[in-house]
Amino acid sequence: MKFKLLVLVSLFSLDLKPQTMPDDFVVLSDIDPSITIHIRYATNDNFLGRPVTGYKDKNKTVCTRKAALALKAAHNELKQHGYRLVVYDAYRPQRAADEFMDWRKNSNDQCMKQQYYPTIDKVDVLKKGYVADRSGHSRGSAFDLTIIELSKELTPIMYSKRTLTNGEKVPFLDDNTVDMGSSFDLFHSVSHHETSLIELTFLERRNFLRAIMKKHGFKGYSGEWWHYILKDEPYTEKYFDFVV
């Protein structure tokens, strides 16, 4: 019995050993310092309304080297059109995804409902695909991103209402990036890339970004116009949990 207990303690200790960043991960700004990095989950400006477990620095993020080089190539082309990339999220520790799962079960916490999920029950965000218990971000080659004009800088978020083509009003969180018809992380069908709820101008902007990202090896996610993942990602089944 004593031997079995020691074995269990040993295995448990191994599970608790902190992960370190793999050798083929890089700090994104080391590869392309001209990309604007503003990690929303390291701030209060996200659907939890607080910094998320596993995020420490809003101006730093990591990803696989392969994804960083592909993103740099896409960024170089975007700059030729007068735009700069803004990255809201890249690698996401698994513990952050776990916190999202805990958050959706807490019906008492509705502090950011008006800004991020005004029309749905938070318990349904997993079923509707807005969060995942196992996110591609945790594999290190996914990005949440948008673009900003080269002559502009990010500003503190300004809250307003946006009227959709069906007459519905939804929150719009303006940080001075290019207007894509809906703001980042809005849990609503207007965030779907091909939605009919936005004017043609906004759809053209989404398509412009998607075309360049696709050209440089990324694929989008139909449910979120801001989400891209490297098609030929180095890790397809492994999910990491080291802290940035």
Side-chain angles (χ1 to χ4, degrees), residues 53-64:
T53 301
Y55 290 89
K56 292 185 176 181
D57 189 341
K58 68 178 181 180
N59 301 124
K60 177 184 176 182
T61 192
V62 303
C63 58
T64 63

Side-chain angles (χ1 to χ4, degrees), residues 42-58:
T43 74
N44 294 327
D45 293 326
N46 58 67
F47 60 88
L48 271 67
R50 62 181 184 272
V52 179
T53 301
Y55 290 89
K56 292 185 176 181
D57 189 341
K58 68 178 181 180

Side-chain angles (χ1 to χ4, degrees), residues 119 130 168 186-193 195-197 206 223:
T119 61
Y130 295 116
E168 181 184 359
L186 177 61
F187 298 168
H188 189 283
S189 57
V190 70
S191 296
H192 298 179
H193 189 99
T195 182
S196 61
L197 296 173
R206 294 182 182 189

Side-chain angles (χ1 to χ4, degrees), residues 127-209:
K127 179 174 63 177
K128 291 181 178 293
Y130 295 116
V131 298
D133 56 351
R134 289 281 188 174
S135 170
H137 283 279
S138 300
R139 300 195 298 267
S141 296
F143 301 95
D144 289 339
L145 52 77
T146 189
I147 52 177
I148 191 170
E149 293 178 23
L150 286 175
S151 61
K152 296 182 177 180
E153 298 294 335
L154 289 182
T155 60
I157 289 174
M158 295 291 292
Y159 175 86
S160 64
K161 288 283 190 177
R162 169 61 53 83
T163 303
L164 307 181
T165 58
N166 65 352
E168 181 184 359
K169 292 184 182 296
V170 295
F172 185 70
L173 306 181
D174 184 7
D175 61 359
N176 213 32
T177 53
V178 172
D179 190 343
M180 295 290 187
S182 68
S183 47
F184 167 65
D185 254 3
L186 177 61
F187 298 168
H188 189 283
S189 57
V190 70
S191 296
H192 298 179
H193 189 99
E194 302 289 351
T195 182
S196 61
L197 296 173
I198 56 174
E199 297 174 2
L200 180 59
T201 299
F202 300 132
L203 182 58
E204 289 174 343
R205 292 172 184 171
R206 294 182 182 189
N207 286 338
F208 164 74
L209 176 58

Side-chain angles (χ1 to χ4, degrees), residues 210-223:
R210 183 170 65 177
I212 290 181
M213 293 297 291
K214 182 178 179 180
K215 179 179 177 180
H216 293 282
F218 292 91
K219 59 182 177 181
Y221 167 50
S222 61

